[in-house]
Amino acid sequence: MATPCDVAIIGGGVVGTSVAYFLKQLAPTARVAVIERDSTYEFASTLRASGGARRQFSCPENVAMSNFSIPFIASADATLAVDGESAHVEWRAGGYLLIVGPDAVDTLRANYELQCAQDVAADWLDADALRARFPSMNVDGIAAGVHTPGDGWCDPNGLLQGLRRKSRSLGVRYIDASVVGIEHDAQVARGVRIESGAIVAADYIVNAAGAWSREIAAMVGMPLPIEPLRRFEHYFETPNVIEPLPYVKDTARLAFRPEGRGYSGGLVDSDETRGYNFDVDHGYFERAVWPALAERFPAFEACRCRRTWAGLYEQNELDGNPVIGNWPARMENFFVVAGFSGHGMMHAPAAGRAVAELIVDGRFATLDLSRLGYRRIAEHAPYRERGIV
Ligand SMILES: Cc1cc2nc3c(=O)[nH]c(=O)nc-3n(C[C@H](O)[C@H](O)[C@H](O)COP(=O)(O)OP(=O)(O)OC[C@H]3O[C@@H](n4cnc5c(N)ncnc54)[C@H](O)[C@@H]3O)c2cc1C
């Protein structure tokens, strides 16, 4: 039997580590353990993410999570400092720009109004305004865009390491082990079994295993529709001069942002076969990404892809939104915080705080995220995000 704890968090990526950090903020004496099987995070989604953080969503919960998370990330270098040494999150408030054709303009307008009502600084740009603001952009087929100048991007590994170092300094215990089972009876989870056979007894168990969270949920018999979805990220350069760009996204799921001398981004293939596949298809950039880039920004006709890597989205197949909460009426001390479907880095601070509140206060104390709970999964009642995903 390993040393027991109050809360055992399975998965020490940015989401699990954020839960640990906020638990120690709310309950400094709580005994919190994070069980992470790979402290190098070789395959963790967090280290393969693009780092984007935006407020442009259609579900008010997602906007609200960004409204908390983005200022948290922006000031994390200081907040997460340990013994006077700051974190290295490298936040850049480069802004976000979502662009749509005529078929999606009503949705964009509705989302824009919702975001404004939630105090997001956002600019509505019609095609002429887009052309004037971003002269390199070909606006053929584009009806409008929304620019949110306070959004931006960071180094996801910097955020993870900052949260991890700070959490450890506050007393969070990291256990380097693979979780192979969960001890439980009909209604209560009792502890986490690791590969040595030892059991970490816990009053609360949190499943923050990202793309692997369905397997962790299955250990207590909980069905969770979260699947690993491979997505490529590319670093590319062009010799042509382009004005400073924000993080640009369109409805075909092309998304990219400036990075160093070049750009980082990709184009999600939603039809990709689900599975733990990290193979890189070196033809994908040329086949799918480059034509989309060059059509929208002709300056990219001359671009060159310097590096491609593959990572996993933890895709919620029901509705593309995260599952945040416990298993109501079944195993109330077992919590899930997964299924962010491409937004887990940006929403990790808010989701971590929310789960910490559920455990410490027994309710959402700041943001009401109940619509993102497990109930909708059990009832097969999707709550869909209608921003550009
Ligand atoms: C190419 C790409 C680009 C992305 N871009 C963005 C972006 O711009 N903005 C954004 O917000 N998000 C982005 N994402 C999504 C983001 O990376 C994820 O949503 C986020 O990192 C999820 O964090 P996590 O902690 O849940 O998962 P992870 O970082 O994957 O952490 C889960 C951890 O659980 C551990 N684990 C799993 N099973 C076990 C077990 N049995 N025992 C012990 N440990 C276990 C794993 O080792 C892993 O470290 C992107 C993802 C990809 C792939």
Side-chain angles (χ1 to χ4, degrees), residues 165-237:
R165 202 165 60 113
K166 186 71 177 180
S167 298
R168 292 174 80 127
S169 78
L170 298 171
V172 171
R173 182 160 56 106
Y174 275 76
I175 300 173
D176 294 334
S178 194
V179 172
V180 294
I182 294 175
E183 299 294 305
H184 64 94
D185 53 32
Q187 293 208 300
V188 182
R190 305 277 178 201
V192 165
R193 190 162 8 101
I194 55 179
E195 80 256 52
S196 67
I199 291 164
V200 183
D203 295 333
Y204 300 90
I205 294 176
V206 178
N207 174 2
W212 297 269
S213 54
R214 182 169 55 89
E215 276 129 59
I216 299 295
M219 292 175 185
V220 294
M222 176 197 226
L224 196 59
I226 295 175
E227 296 286 344
L229 167 65
R230 181 176 63 165
R231 138 111 152 82
F232 299 121
E233 183 80 8
H234 316 271
Y235 172 73
F236 49 95
E237 293 175 352

Side-chain angles (χ1 to χ4, degrees), residues 12-185:
V14 71
V15 171
T17 299
S18 176
V19 174
Y21 169 77
F22 281 102
L23 277 167
K24 294 301 277 185
Q25 297 299 309
L26 295 185
T29 58
R31 295 170 306 164
V32 179
V34 176
I35 300 130
E36 168 55 57
R37 67 180 168 202
D38 177 14
S39 58
T40 72
Y41 295 103
E42 182 180 3
F43 294 109
S45 302
T46 302
L47 263 63
R48 291 162 187 258
S50 175
R54 61 172 154 122
R55 294 170 173 89
Q56 294 203 48
F57 288 98
S58 68
C59 296
E61 289 85 351
N62 285 331
V63 179
M65 283 202 284
S66 296
N67 271 342
F68 173 73
S69 293
I70 291 173
F72 179 90
I73 294 169
S75 56
D77 280 358
T79 313
L80 301 179
V82 175
D83 295 335
E85 198 185 315
S86 67
H88 299 284
V89 171
E90 293 181 30
W91 171 251
R92 278 195 56 191
Y96 253 75
L97 176 68
L98 268 60
I99 47 177
V100 302
D103 53 330
V105 79
D106 290 346
T107 307
L108 188 74
R109 171 71 73 180
N111 294 350
Y112 164 74
E113 285 168 2
L114 175 100
Q115 291 145 21
C116 293
Q118 289 186 244
D119 297 326
V120 175
D123 302 321
W124 180 268
L125 303 172
D126 61 16
D128 287 341
L130 280 170
R131 194 181 293 110
R133 186 89 164 258
F134 304 106
S136 297
M137 193 191 302
N138 166 19
V139 298
D140 290 355
I142 295 295
V146 170
H147 183 228
T148 38
D151 295 348
W153 53 90
C154 71
D155 172 10
N157 186 37
L159 180 61
L160 167 59
Q161 298 302 338
L163 280 165
R164 186 176 153 119
R165 202 165 60 113
K166 186 71 177 180
S167 298
R168 292 174 80 127
S169 78
L170 298 171
V172 171
R173 182 160 56 106
Y174 275 76
I175 300 173
D176 294 334
S178 194
V179 172
V180 294
I182 294 175
E183 299 294 305
H184 64 94
D185 53 32

